[in-house]
Amino acid sequence: MSTVHNPFATADAAERYAAGRPAFHPLVLSRLAPHLKGRDLGADVACGTGLSSVSLAELVAEVRAFDASAAMLVQAAPHPRVTYAQAPAEALPLEGDVLDVMTVAQAFHWFDRAAFLAEARRTLKPGGVLALYDDFFLGEMEGQPDFGAFAKAYIARYPTPPRHREPFGEAQAQAAGFTFHEERWKHPLALTQSQLVAYLLTHSNTLAATESGAATLNEIAAWLGGQLAPFYAGSGTRNVVYGAVLTVLRRQ
């Protein structure tokens, strides 16, 4: 599998992530709960600033949280039952057959999938669960039919950088030694204009634009603010529509 560049490793990315990512994780993990057989030890891989780790702690007694970026871990939210450590997803400092559950939020597309799935299978107990989940911007806003035109202009101006897009479904899960279950749905998030700007500044495409020097953070923020202002006229918040996906893989 080819290597891709993960733009979330820098201190700037970590600060923007901590400031702008909404805490959607409990919404998704509530759907994971019925799939768990044990709730003693969980791992959160590519934990970022810890939003996903703290949410996982609501389901299990202890969480080991890992991220490859030291800068992200500096911003990680403290929690009495979450322990953070720096480690890549493909080489976790865990013994074999110890985890009841492992979660990966919004990061599977950055991993070496074969190496990571082997590591997940090694560290999970038989019958343990690997949960891959995402919550993503759909370019839709309730009551604003023209919002889609903004979303297209946004992606055209700040293109999405490469990531692993190889198909992953039941056949790939079974080949790696897992069963497969997936759920998809949509939901609204009420965001102010400034919250939506802050969220978009955490996207890989805006991070890549500032990292490459194609635009400064202030330039991107100013453009986003100008484009979004008409959609917020007369309203402090708007319901932005997100898509969610939860993939539950059980170790066979």
Side-chain angles (χ1 to χ4, degrees):
M1 180 178 292
S2 61
T3 301
V4 299
H5 173 64
N6 184 338
F8 291 95
T10 67
D12 174 61
E15 291 172 4
R16 286 155 67 172
Y17 205 95
R21 284 279 163 151
F24 67 86
H25 306 79
L27 172 68
V28 179
L29 292 182
S30 66
R31 297 190 177 216
L32 171 62
H35 295 278
L36 301 184
K37 292 184 176 180
R39 297 195 180 202
D40 293 327
L41 180 61
D44 185 37
V45 180
C47 65
T49 61
L51 289 173
S52 50
S53 313
V54 170
S55 297
L56 179 58
E58 296 302 311
L59 298 184
V60 299
E62 182 183 358
V63 175
R64 307 282 179 83
F66 304 100
D67 201 279
S69 168
M72 280 287 182
L73 294 174
V74 168
Q75 300 287 338
H79 188 281
R81 290 184 288 105
V82 177
T83 302
Y84 294 99
Q86 186 177 5
E90 300 84 358
L92 300 171
L94 292 168
E95 296 181 0
D97 303 330
V98 294
L99 297 175
D100 295 297
V101 57
M102 176 185 288
T103 55
V104 177
Q106 301 183 299
F108 185 53
H109 47 268
W110 301 115
F111 297 170
D112 178 326
R113 288 186 182 178
F116 167 69
L117 290 170
E119 187 70 342
R121 189 164 174 21
R122 180 186 72 80
T123 56
L124 283 164
K125 297 174 182 177
V129 165
L130 168 61
L132 311 173
Y133 67 98
D134 203 349
D135 198 68
F136 43 90
F137 180 68
L138 289 174
E140 301 176 17
M141 179 181 282
E142 290 183 358
Q144 298 291 327
D146 294 334
F147 191 77
F150 155 74
K152 290 180 180 178
Y154 164 63
I155 294 300
R157 187 179 182 92
Y158 305 111
T160 302
R163 77 273 316 279
H164 295 304
R165 297 186 182 276
E166 297 86 353
F168 187 82
E170 187 169 7
Q172 290 78 17
Q174 289 181 346
F178 295 90
T179 63
F180 179 86
H181 170 82
E182 188 168 270
E183 302 175 22
R184 292 178 177 270
W185 68 100
K186 292 183 179 183
H187 67 91
L189 278 180
L191 300 174
T192 65
Q193 180 179 329
S194 61
Q195 287 172 331
L196 182 52
V197 169
Y199 166 72
L200 294 174
L201 290 174
T202 72
H203 276 187
S204 60
N205 52 334
T206 57
L207 289 169
T210 53
E211 186 177 23
S212 69
T216 69
L217 178 63
N218 288 339
E219 287 170 345
I220 299 173
W223 183 85
L224 289 170
Q227 294 292 310
L228 291 172
F231 299 107
Y232 278 91
S235 177
T237 63
R238 291 289 188 185
N239 282 337
V240 181
V241 182
Y242 283 74
V245 58
L246 169 65
T247 304
V248 179
L249 309 179
R250 189 177 303 279
R251 180 188 160 184
Q252 295 180 318

